[in-house]
Amino acid sequence: MERIGVIGCGLMGSGIAEVLARSGLDVLVVERDQGALDLGRQRVNASLTKARAAGKISVEDAEDAGSRLRFSTDFAELSEFPFVIEAVAEDLAVKLDVFHRLDETMVDRGAILASNTSSIPIATLAAATTRPENVVGLHFFNPVPVMKLVEVTPSLLTSEATVTAAHALASEQLGKTPISSPDRAGFVVNALLIPYLLSAIRMFEAGVATAQDIDTGMTLGCAHPMGPLALVDLIGLDTTAAVAESLYAEFREIHFATPPLLARMIAAGQLGRKSGQGFYSYRQ
Ligand code: NAI
């Protein structure tokens, strides 16, 4: 495979596009409008510049990756691609629309349609297409250039060939470590992680400890690289809540319920790092 498409160039799509380009693939990134596309391009370029400055990649490799990335707002440009990874916002209606459009656009009936969704059933996305055997979950972790894990999730209808291709892309092409995960909300990692993050928010909301003390407790007490509230800020409060809601809708278990504080912070536009304010301030 020489080329691949990425839909959505936010936090995750930009990271996915970067690692694909760095692995030697030609990448076409499709965004919904010019404004989002410009932001996405800036995000990828800033990350490549940072990696170069930190000595993680050479000047030549950064330039080579940059030259492999193309940006567009036109889905039709994906028509001949063999593989696309969808990374638009965690919104069912938006994702269903994207899968429907990809199904109409992509000419090769063998083309693989992967989703980076954190919580929407792969079977639901597959049902928006006429080729459910080619639809698979490919769940990267944030920040994508750094995190090694990819969860590969087939639905009941995904073919063996599609699963094999998804594992091969993750491991052989990108050097990541794939694990097989079930088509259940939260897959493996978020089903464990989200209740932990929500518990930290409830602890903070109840005034049990400060955000700093909760995070210091978990970094120094449990050797986590980052505390739970800083991690929610990194993931995005809206994305965290969206994943929690999917888990709650599927399992109806109280530890997946969104704490009121999380909902109020989102209503106030405090989405974490991406908005400049979450449990911590990121404004310069
Ligand atoms: P984000 O909000 O940063 O980015 C979403 C991007 O999708 C935006 O740039 C937006 O313009 C674009 N978009 C929206 N509708 C579109 C359309 N119809 N066509 C093309 N582009 C469109 O969201 P983020 O955090 O990157 O999440 C994306 C996906 O990755 C979600 O499914 C999320 O659950 C998943 N994910 C998020 C992680 C995180 O830490 N934030 C971790 C792993 C997965």
Side-chain angles (χ1 to χ4, degrees), residues 7-13 30-33 36 43 75 86-91 94-95 97-98 101 115-119 139-142 190 234-236 238-239 243 274:
I7 325 284
C9 197
L11 203 58
M12 295 302 291
V30 177
E31 256 291 356
R32 61 178 159 186
D33 56 42
R43 214 175 264 125
F75 264 70
E86 168 278 313
V88 304
E90 190 75 344
D91 177 315
V94 175
K95 287 206 194 278
D97 178 58
V98 165
R101 286 165 69 186
S115 176
N116 187 50
T117 180
S118 305
S119 60
H139 186 225
F140 291 83
F141 288 76
N142 180 21
N190 278 328
L234 178 70
I235 294 169
D238 50 344
T239 304
V243 180
K274 64 183 163 188

Side-chain angles (χ1 to χ4, degrees), residues 30-275:
V30 177
E31 256 291 356
R32 61 178 159 186
D33 56 42
Q34 192 62 41
L37 188 151
D38 291 340
L39 277 175
R41 193 201 317 258
Q42 278 170 23
R43 214 175 264 125
V44 183
N45 287 341
S47 177
L48 281 171
T49 305
K50 202 170 147 194
R52 202 185 55 203
K56 289 184 184 147
I57 48 173
S58 66
V59 175
E60 295 74 33
D61 287 349
E63 275 170 8
D64 185 53
S67 71
R68 289 179 179 283
L69 286 154
R70 235 165 27 84
F71 295 82
S72 173
T73 54
D74 185 5
F75 264 70
E77 288 193 42
L78 290 167
S79 63
E80 309 278 338
F81 275 59
F83 204 125
V84 295
I85 303 175
E86 168 278 313
V88 304
E90 190 75 344
D91 177 315
L92 180 61
V94 175
K95 287 206 194 278
L96 289 178
D97 178 58
V98 165
F99 272 81
H100 178 66
R101 286 165 69 186
L102 285 174
D103 190 41
E104 284 188 330
T105 306
M106 297 184 68
V107 176
D108 176 0
R109 295 297 300 172
I112 292 176
L113 314 184
S115 176
N116 187 50
T117 180
S118 305
S119 60
I120 295 169
I122 303 306
T124 306
L125 301 177
T129 75
T130 58
R131 45 183 121 183
E133 66 282 7
N134 296 353
V135 178
V136 67
L138 204 54
H139 186 225
F140 291 83
F141 288 76
N142 180 21
V144 182
V146 177
M147 301 297 278
K148 297 290 279 181
L149 188 71
V150 177
E151 289 176 312
V152 177
T153 305
S155 80
L156 291 175
L157 298 175
T158 309
S159 71
E160 248 337 285
T162 299
V163 175
T164 304
H167 272 274
L169 176 73
S171 59
E172 289 157 31
Q173 181 78 35
L174 302 181
K176 303 282 187 197
T177 302
I179 60 170
S180 303
S181 69
D183 192 13
R184 294 165 24 119
F187 308 131
V188 170
V189 174
N190 278 328
L192 291 169
L193 177 66
I194 292 291
Y196 159 64
L197 298 180
L198 299 182
S199 297
I201 296 171
R202 284 193 194 96
M203 183 178 261
F204 174 66
E205 185 173 26
V208 173
T210 63
Q212 194 69 61
D213 282 351
I214 291 169
D215 282 354
T216 303
M218 295 310 291
T219 48
L220 299 187
C222 295
H224 288 191
M226 184 181 268
L229 299 174
L231 182 54
V232 173
D233 279 356
L234 178 70
I235 294 169
L237 276 70
D238 50 344
T239 304
T240 304
V243 180
E245 276 155 26
S246 295
L247 282 157
Y248 187 75
E250 181 128 310
F251 301 112
R252 304 280 170 198
E253 288 169 5
I254 196 71
H255 58 275
F256 294 127
T258 304
L261 178 65
L262 180 59
R264 295 304 170 275
M265 289 175 74
I266 293 166
Q270 297 181 349
L271 305 181
R273 283 193 194 199
K274 64 183 163 188
S275 74

